[in-house]
Amino acid sequence: MRLAIDVVEANVEPLLEPVDRAAVHAGVLHYGRELAFATARVYARAAELRGAWDARLEALVVDSVVRGDADAEVLSRASALGWGQGRGVCVVVGDVPTSRSAPDLVGEVRRRALTSVSDVLCAIQGHRLVVVLGGVGREAPEGDVEGPGVLAAAATVLAQFDEGAVVVGPWVEDLAAAHVSAREAVAAHEVAAAWPDAPRPVHALDLLPERLLAGERGAGAQLLDHVHRPLAEHRSALVQTLTTFFAQRSSIEATARALFVHPNTVRYRLAQVAEVTGCTPTDPGTASRSRSRSRWAVRARGSRCRPSSSPVLEGLHKGAPLNFVRGAREWWEHHKAQ
């Protein structure tokens, strides 16, 4: 088309009378302009269709991750969307802001996330916004972090969620295992309203008590694994110290007198509790959460629970201690009274 227009413009003057030349030049310019706009519309439509297809494909991949169907086909589709081979994945779940359109929201989430991580997938599922972040660092035993941790990575997209809880699932190795992080994040987000003062973002493991009380299967086993079992297997008397510490209204001196040890010994043991379980009983900012998690777990001794139709008991693994559930019920009644 460019060649045809060039030939016409080059030969129009010898073939026409001077009075007609201006009109013909104006007609050629008008034709070229209309042709350019028509071509632009075609390319814009093609780009729009491609963007819509990519959005549908991305939503399909995220839905597969949430449902736990991340097979080789899903991984191939994620690669088509630009997902790299970076290690470290976590899933962030929160509410969708009603004041923004879906394309604008997804685009802004992607722009913000890519400032700190290498890969991102995002989809809106009803009232829920699900973001899969890749290239997330995992905290090493020495405390070093390779890249942003799960909470730091989630903080980069925090402003794109609506008000309310924003839950981060645990770190997993790659996209094939992302369904584990998604399952934890979705389950925790469903019960996050039971903790009105939860930080934003909040880790899914910090909502294990609420998940247990909601009857989630496996939440009791996780709480035992994350809190009670590490304490019980530790060489120091951490379970006894923590139980006495709570019974003495978080008084280190009273705990030391009850255990016939020096207060510094109590402080050392409580520091070990924080190191082993992540619960910090002496931190005023997290004392209530540490108490609720640790109290239930340190009571996980003695009698075993029998099968029951209670949703709380059903959420515990077979043989879970009855005192664990009793502690959960006591806390729940106190929480409702407040």
Side-chain angles (χ1 to χ4, degrees), residues 37-101:
F37 279 116
T39 305
R41 282 195 295 269
V42 171
Y43 279 103
R45 180 59 177 168
E48 182 180 354
L49 292 176
R50 180 179 178 182
W53 171 254
D54 289 346
R56 288 193 293 268
L57 184 60
E58 185 173 8
L60 180 61
V61 172
V62 173
D63 182 68
S64 300
V65 169
V66 172
R67 291 187 291 107
D69 299 334
D71 52 12
E73 183 179 355
V74 173
L75 298 180
S76 176
R77 291 173 177 173
S79 299
L81 292 170
W83 185 273
Q85 299 297 325
R87 295 294 181 180
V89 177
C90 72
V91 178
V92 187
V93 178
D95 293 330
V96 178
T98 58
S99 59
R100 302 179 62 179
S101 63

